Amino acid sequence: MRIIEIQGSSQPSTIRVGEAFANLPRHLPPGKAVVITDENVLRLYRDRMPALPVLSIGSGEAFKTLETVSDLYEALVDLEADRATFILGVGGGIVCDVAGFVAATYLRGLRFGFAATTLLAQVDASVGGKNGVNLEGYKNLVGTIRQPEFVICDPAFLETLPEAEVVNGMAEIVKHGLIADAGMFAFLEDHASAALRLEPAVVERLVAESVVIKAGVVGRDEVEAGERRKLNFGHTVGHALEKTGVFSHGEAVSIGMAFASRVSVRRGLLPEEAHRRILALLSRLKLPVRASVDPLRLVEALRRDKKRRANRIHFVLLEDIGRAVVQEIRMDELEGMAAEFPDILQTGPDP
Ligand code: ADP
Ligand code: ZN
């Protein structure tokens, strides 16, 4: 097991990578606790849930809403949850986002922790303290920043993950290597197929290193003034692609990273050789590096990005594998590049 302590501004958070879910009782504080999970996780892991009241939400982005939050508040009232009640989120990123938001707001804030059951949640959602829900089609428009007291990342949960979910997590792992850790990127190059097979030792190392990278970035910048923007690598175009409805988050981010890598070469920041290594690794991990999308639709989605400020956006680029820089790019410049989108991405090797 690897234990990573994160010092958030509000409170510390302990991430336990490789800890068994069965050991959960060791980490729960004494007293009342309530589990928040989703229907799939409950179906798969009902037998392994702790002996606590369980609130289950629908699975998928469509349930990441204020309505779901409101239902959970009401259920907590029925359970007579009070200030001393501990909330345990057991699930993927959506459960963590919703459970974290409910815990952060109910009675002005309850203590909470997570057991992250997807690769994406283990490497991404459970670290950083961001939580929240979507509103009127805008992702994460409403939320708070608050760290869970602990996160348990049990690799045994990953055995039941659908392939698309593995892809989602893998994209985020590659992102962490690209923005902050050349050594981790090289490790992935050496162990790509073991990673895809989710070999526990390899996954444990990748998850732990991802958590350290993300925690480091978040620790230096909890409120997203500068450093934290680096975590958006691949995500500006990624989110736009995701909105077209054709790609999953992981696929969209992978294409977004390939795009940002290409832009980095174009701006004279990144050596061509490094760009080729990036495309090659993404392809070996079965992540897409190309998209044929109507550039107009993409630009439209980019414009709607809530992070867009005036005519420029902060765009994360690479100076090298393991070193990200944030530069401002004018919207029209980005639109121009988006118009070349398919060409840019089709310079990659065949997946
Ligand atoms: P994320 O990919 O952000 O973690 P979700 O929380 O929506 O997103 O989880 C993705 C999907 O995987 C959901 O349908 C969820 O019910 C399901 N899921 C979560 N954990 C597991 C697991 N260990 N095995 C199989 N399916 C899971
Ligand atoms: Zn992401």
Side-chain angles (χ1 to χ4, degrees):
M1 193 191 7
R2 301 173 198 225
I3 298 175
I4 300 144
E5 302 280 353
I6 300 176
Q7 195 53 56
S9 67
S10 46
Q11 63 171 149
S13 185
T14 305
I15 319 289
R16 296 173 185 277
V17 182
E19 173 66 306
F21 184 53
N23 291 333
L24 174 76
R26 289 186 201 165
H27 309 300
L28 282 176
K32 259 197 211 173
V34 175
V35 172
I36 296 180
T37 187
D38 77 16
E39 54 191 5
N40 290 335
V41 176
L42 186 58
R43 183 166 33 78
L44 289 163
Y45 295 100
R46 189 183 293 274
D47 297 348
R48 291 184 232 176
M49 286 291 174
L52 296 169
V54 176
L55 303 177
S56 173
I57 65 174
S59 118
E61 198 73 31
F63 288 92
K64 202 173 133 176
T65 59
L66 287 173
E67 202 184 342
T68 298
V69 168
S70 176
D71 290 346
L72 289 169
Y73 290 151
E74 282 172 31
L76 288 173
V77 173
D78 291 344
L79 288 169
E80 295 176 14
D82 58 26
R83 299 290 314 263
T85 302
F86 190 91
I87 301 287
L88 178 74
V90 182
I94 293 180
V95 166
C96 293
D97 276 359
V98 170
F101 183 68
V102 166
T105 50
Y106 186 77
L107 295 176
R108 296 196 187 86
L110 302 183
R111 298 174 63 183
F112 70 104
F114 297 141
T117 65
T118 66
L119 187 58
L120 185 58
Q122 294 191 356
V123 300
D124 194 42
S126 57
V127 186
K130 280 190 184 178
N131 56 54
V133 295
N134 306 330
L135 191 73
E136 295 187 3
Y138 292 91
K139 287 188 86 167
N140 306 317
L141 198 66
V142 181
T144 73
I145 293 184
R146 217 176 138 119
Q147 311 287 342
E149 284 182 30
F150 62 77
V151 182
I152 291 173
C153 300
D154 182 350
F157 278 122
L158 308 182
E159 283 163 22
T160 51
L161 271 192
E163 169 113 17
E165 273 304 311
V166 178
V167 165
N168 283 342
M170 227 35 102
E172 231 64 54
I173 289 172
V174 174
K175 180 191 81 177
H176 288 139
L178 282 176
I179 63 171
D181 191 341
M184 193 245 231
F185 186 90
F187 176 79
L188 251 179
E189 287 181 316
D190 291 342
H191 299 85
S193 38
L196 265 184
R197 284 196 306 274
L198 296 177
E199 268 181 25
V202 170
V203 169
E204 188 173 316
R205 174 162 169 184
L206 291 171
V207 170
E209 290 187 359
S210 272
V211 166
V212 168
I213 290 166
K214 182 159 184 195
V217 172
V218 171
R220 288 190 289 279
D221 172 19
E222 220 184 21
V223 292
E224 193 154 349
E227 180 77 9
R228 190 166 180 160
R229 290 202 179 102
K230 291 181 181 172
L231 294 170
N232 274 335
F233 180 64
H235 279 63
T236 305
V237 165
H239 281 148
L241 280 171
E242 207 178 341
K243 278 188 194 150
T244 65
V246 182
F247 301 100
S248 70
H249 183 71
E251 291 171 333
V253 167
S254 177
I255 297 164
M257 291 194 291
F259 178 79
S261 168
R262 172 45 95 202
V263 175
S264 305
V265 174
R266 171 89 55 97
R267 288 204 155 192
L269 294 168
L270 183 71
E272 181 75 40
E273 212 270 312
H275 175 60
R276 274 197 296 272
R277 270 176 73 194
I278 293 167
L279 294 187
L281 179 63
L282 291 171
S283 299
R284 283 184 62 207
L285 291 172
K286 301 209 161 51
L287 292 165
V289 294
R290 64 188 64 192
S292 0
V293 177
D294 177 357
L296 283 178
R297 277 177 72 195
L298 193 73
V299 168
E300 178 56 31
L302 270 174
R303 286 203 167 284
R304 283 164 49 103
D305 192 317
K306 73 176 156 70
K307 293 201 174 72
R308 186 181 72 86
R309 226 185 255 165
N311 280 321
R312 291 162 301 164
I313 56 171
H314 294 283
F315 203 83
V316 190
L317 299 165
L318 296 177
E319 289 181 319
D320 200 350
I321 288 171
R323 216 165 65 234
V325 281
V326 182
Q327 292 193 350
E328 291 206 327
I329 293 194
R330 289 193 324 275
M331 267 320 266
D332 59 337
E333 196 184 336
L334 202 62
E335 282 171 26
M337 288 191 272
E340 300 171 41
F341 206 121
D343 291 326
I344 286 169
L345 296 179
Q346 275 168 23
T347 58
D350 282 323

